[in-house]
Amino acid sequence: MNKRPTINDVARLAGVSKRTVSRVINGASNVGKATRERIDAVIKETGFSPDKQARGLAASRSFLIGLIYDNPDALYIDQVQRGVLSVCSEKGYELVVHPCNYNTDDFISNCIQFVSRSRIDGVIILPPVSEAKELAETLREKQINYVRMASVDLDDHSNIVVSDDRAALRDLARYMVSLGHRDIGIISGPQRYYSSKERLEGFLETLNDLHVEVPIDRIIEGKNSYESGIECARTLLIQSPRVKAIFANNDEMAAGVLKVAHEMGITVPDELSVAGFDDNLLAARVIPALTTVQRPVGDMAALAARKIIAQIEGTEVSETETYLVKPHLIIRDSIKRV
Amino acid sequence: MNKRPTINDVARLAGVSKRTVSRVINGASNVGKATRERIDAVIKETGFSPDKQARGLAASRSFLIGLIYDNPDALYIDQVQRGVLSVCSEKGYELVVHPCNYNTDDFISNCIQFVSRSRIDGVIILPPVSEAKELAETLREKQINYVRMASVDLDDHSNIVVSDDRAALRDLARYMVSLGHRDIGIISGPQRYYSSKERLEGFLETLNDLHVEVPIDRIIEGKNSYESGIECARTLLIQSPRVKAIFANNDEMAAGVLKVAHEMGITVPDELSVAGFDDNLLAARVIPALTTVQRPVGDMAALAARKIIAQIEGTEVSETETYLVKPHLIIRDSIKRV
DNA sequence: AATATACGTGCCACCGGTGGCATAGTAAAG
DNA sequence: CTTTACTATGCCACCGGTGGCACGTATATT
């Protein structure tokens, strides 16, 4: 077809200079009303929309937002993407995804390359990569805009959105105890991650307040995978057969617990209660459906997107925009009163 | 820190014109060996890498590949993204995601806008959007590069990658019958999708060859969701209690069948066998683990990426590159010999 | 009435590359 | 020893916008 109209076409048709058209499309204030209307009309008529490449080249911007992660949970990623995109598309940005490998040496330079090569305007970093102190420092040094999503408050509030996992785990602990549970086992996440630590501590802290003891041998550190859940559940249930309730650091591992219980002929939730975390795809599908904790992932991601765009455009985030969101308990069938 | 080096810096340092540097970074053949080496050295030394924006503006390219989809299956999307990215990053492209709403009126213009605004070099279209004839036609008209992923061969082989669902379903049918199943029920997918039709037909066709009848009232059309699976399973199992095996069009619905069986006190696989499709996250986690069909999604996506890049760069895809891949049966615990 | 201030607009350079063409240098052909 | 034919390289315009500054005109100030 005929080529897309450019700013020059619009300028010619409206009988003004391209500079003025540029002002209009950027919403500059100092344009005469009549002129603005004329130009708007031409824009509508021709279907003109500015070329992001050219705009980017001239203004040193790309209208691209990067998403950096190293997370196996596809569902989580998907929710994040949708949340970010809902904001992006409205503001004229596009989302470029960049899964990476957190454990390689060139991980940081890889991310920097990614940003600088495509002139990405800003990046959103997902856990657990978001916990990498060094990455954040490098980005800050290079003056690259970033926002982290995390479970702990470890940055300026304009650079982070955190879910209060600890508070959610307090709720879960109270809930379990209120149902009469005293013999509790835990399959924690890797303690090198803040998020896993937060959850464990929030849980233990509250149990402690309620005078419920969890002997150290009833706490097993898992790796957050289904397989790891199976392994840990076996160890835990053999080693401490009196355990009547298990909290697993995520739904994947909780599913592993269900599997092992089934193998061992233990009925859930009659003989054993199980709680997960994430409200994964699995959670509602598994039998019995898992009682778990749901983070408002999409909302968090949208908030992160709003923050990064605010940084990029230099508009301050409104003070009402918070940085802390609280996950909430989803009660299903896997926990039963003793 | 100090700004990124530009082509001008490299040219100056190497004592040549920027045009020659441009030739080197584009792998043009007509550059003297000595010159090339000198330039390469400077590039390495300075860490120069060409600015995609500028390159794009000049050459009318963006080095961006778009991914268009309207698919609720996060796991599928995730696998696709990883597959595409493995090829992209190697060839210097980035991936821009664009979930959309297949059912809105402006769906097509929305996609076109997406492509033209960011000058996306080419798009990969996932099912079920990939079945939209009109979209493909519009793209072709506008000379936008595209590759579709689908379950039916409905385009030039350079524009499509198809998984042979029909063949996979033939295998599944043979497998079920070989295990003695004769009383088979089906929860199909929406028949307006080719993929669902292909699966149903492949399955029925083979059962027919093997002289197994499936009465029409044992075929129920579902909507591919878990909830729909539950609903259809209820109808089917109440209406035709003699059914001893069910094929569900995807794992989500198969999980629904499992749920209903559990509710009704029917043991799977002892009293009822169940098969799914997709090898979803659920498949292995659910109890009993689902026998299902796995498509090599990542490989298909990588192939699609290679095809789209070949189109963009004008290099023909090697003839050995096929367009057809065959899914394969994953045998787990949900089907048992009668 | 003269001067200062503000506003609306246009001109031109520039962002960092690529395309087309001109040109110098060198090798092959006559 | 020319003429021809390449090969290697450079020059300059251009892609489609934005930034900085100058300029003309209208309004406010003294």
Side-chain angles (χ1 to χ4, degrees), chain B residues 288-304:
Chain B
L290 282 173
T291 288
T292 186
V293 175
Q294 182 185 63
R295 286 176 294 189
V297 178
D299 296 344
M300 286 177 68
L303 180 54

Side-chain angles (χ1 to χ4, degrees), chain A residues 36-148:
Chain A
R36 155 166 285 130
E37 280 167 1
R38 190 148 32 89
I39 294 177
D40 275 335
V42 175
I43 289 179
K44 199 155 298 170
E45 196 182 320
T46 56
F48 165 79
S49 82
D51 183 306
K52 284 189 183 158
Q53 305 255 353
R55 205 130 87 119
L57 180 57
S60 279
R61 297 191 34 196
S62 63
F63 297 89
L64 260 26
I65 289 181
L67 187 67
I68 295 181
Y69 57 91
D70 179 6
N71 190 313
D73 185 346
L75 202 74
Y76 180 76
I77 301 298
D78 189 69
Q79 288 180 57
V80 168
Q81 287 183 7
R82 289 175 199 272
V84 172
L85 274 164
S86 68
V87 175
C88 277
S89 62
E90 175 189 312
K91 304 254 185 180
Y93 288 77
E94 301 293 343
L95 180 64
V96 185
V97 298
H98 188 76
C100 59
N101 195 334
Y102 187 15
N103 293 313
T104 54
D105 301 340
D106 65 340
F107 148 68
I108 293 197
S109 63
N110 172 297
C111 290
I112 300 294
Q113 283 265 326
F114 163 67
V115 172
S116 83
R117 276 234 277 267
S118 293
R119 258 208 175 94
I120 304 283
D121 287 340
V123 293
I124 295 176
I125 312 171
L126 269 34
V129 184
S130 60
E131 293 184 2
K133 200 178 164 70
E134 211 188 326
L135 176 60
E137 274 166 6
T138 310
L139 290 170
R140 167 156 300 179
E141 228 171 63
K142 305 227 169 209
Q143 317 212 36
I144 297 169
N145 296 305
Y146 70 88
V147 168
R148 306 197 239 180

Side-chain angles (χ1 to χ4, degrees), chain B residues 304-316:
Chain B
R306 258 178 268 126
K307 289 199 174 197
I308 198 81
I309 291 175
Q311 281 185 32
I312 294 167
E313 303 189 339
T315 49
E316 279 307 309

